[in-house]
Each structure stands twice: as C-alpha cells, then as structure tokens.
Amino acid sequence: MAGELRPGRAEMNRLTTTLRITGEPASVVSLQDGQQRQAIWRGSDPSVGGDPRLKVDFSSGPALLYADRAQRRQVGERLGNTVRLWSEEYRVHRQWLWPKLSFTVTTGGRTVLRARERLRPADGARTFDTHSDPSLDPVVTLALILLEGRPHRMRLGRGHADPL
C-alpha cells in the first residue's frame, strides 16, 4: 500500500509545525495559538490564508478540534486511539520504536497515514517522514500528526523535548 501513499515530511517544534508533501507546491502550517492550542493553515504563509482552517485544543483532557469561526464550532475530538474529525473516524495505531515514534492511521480498514520520526529530539525539534493517502486533506493529515506528536508537551528551550 505504500506505493499508493504520497511521501512528505513534517517538522515539529514547540511553536510551529510544518507539513510538506512531495509534489505539492503548498505546505500546511500549524502555529501555537494560546496555551496548549495549535491553529492550522493551508499554505506556507499563515497570514496569506486568513483564518486557520482548524484549531487543535489540548487544554482540557481529551484533545478537541474546532473550526475557526466566531462561534468556535467543535468539529472533532480524540478519545483514546479514535479521532473523530468532521464526518470521518480515524484509528491511530502506535508502534513504539524507542527512541523514535512510529504510527499509522486507518479509516474504514485502509491505511491513510504512516508517520515515522526520523531523528531523536534535538534543539526542541522533531522530524517525521510521512506517507499519506492522496484523498486525505493535508489539514487533516497535519491534525493527526499533531494529535500523536503532541507539540504542546515540548519545551521551548533548546536541546530538550519532553518525552512522550
């Protein structure tokens, strides 16, 4: 199935996470948006795209996902290994390969995302090699990576990241 998935790379640090998919000109960017919150934009420059497409909120127990509208409409949540986002349900399957994080995400019995950490945390940053289904919205792809990689747990200082 890996041949059907598009390769990419996600770079995560305490303040910003960027997903670049091979062969696609635009990247998807997440910036810290308050205490334990990440906002996700389509495009390499968040200021160009206007309001973020999605907000991930880690601050109250299970992670909650919101569409960025004035009414703060909840569009998803994570409960255990299940992520509900818009009308889809995703299952996260962890494969801990110490000290690297490796996981896959499935929906409807098919794999839609594979992510494997490339390097050990250094300078407060993490890098993941990704393979995602072409039909999976890159904003959703980045949200799934954030939910598993948990950038809100990373320290701001250089050289250390909190263990998962």
Side-chain angles (χ1 to χ4, degrees):
M1 171 151 262
E4 300 173 21
L5 302 178
R6 58 188 176 182
R9 179 167 296 169
E11 296 175 1
M12 179 181 292
N13 62 43
R14 177 67 172 86
L15 298 174
T16 306
T17 302
T18 303
L19 171 66
R20 291 183 178 87
I21 297 171
T22 301
E24 294 200 6
S27 58
V28 184
V29 177
S30 168
L31 295 175
Q32 190 177 49
D33 185 34
Q35 183 68 18
Q36 298 189 23
R37 292 179 179 87
Q38 296 278 331
I40 303 174
W41 284 266
R42 185 91 191 240
S44 57
D45 184 355
S47 65
V48 173
D51 289 337
R53 286 265 319 275
L54 190 65
K55 287 190 178 184
V56 183
D57 187 345
F58 297 100
S59 66
S60 58
L64 302 175
L65 300 112
Y66 295 95
D68 189 41
R69 303 285 183 252
Q71 65 270 24
R72 192 174 144 103
R73 180 175 55 99
Q74 185 178 340
V75 294
E77 64 184 339
R78 178 177 184 165
L79 297 170
N81 290 334
T82 301
V83 177
R84 291 184 186 91
L85 181 54
W86 283 296
S87 60
E88 291 291 330
E89 186 170 288
Y90 303 95
R91 297 279 299 166
V92 179
H93 308 273
R94 282 185 214 90
Q95 297 143 12
W96 292 100
L97 300 174
W98 185 257
K100 298 176 183 176
L101 175 61
S102 177
F103 63 95
T104 59
V105 178
T106 60
T107 184
R110 67 185 172 95
T111 299
V112 293
L113 173 64
R114 289 187 175 131
R116 181 181 176 133
E117 193 171 4
R118 289 185 81 236
L119 304 169
R120 297 184 71 175
D123 297 326
R126 308 175 77 176
T127 303
F128 293 89
D129 286 327
T130 66
H131 291 85
S132 58
D133 191 298
S135 64
L136 189 64
D137 182 342
V139 170
V140 173
T141 303
L142 184 54
L144 293 167
I145 293 169
L146 291 171
L147 288 170
E148 192 62 16
R150 300 190 290 186
H152 67 289
R153 298 274 312 268
M154 298 173 72
R155 291 185 182 151
L156 184 57
R158 295 178 53 83
H160 300 290
D162 286 340
L164 297 175

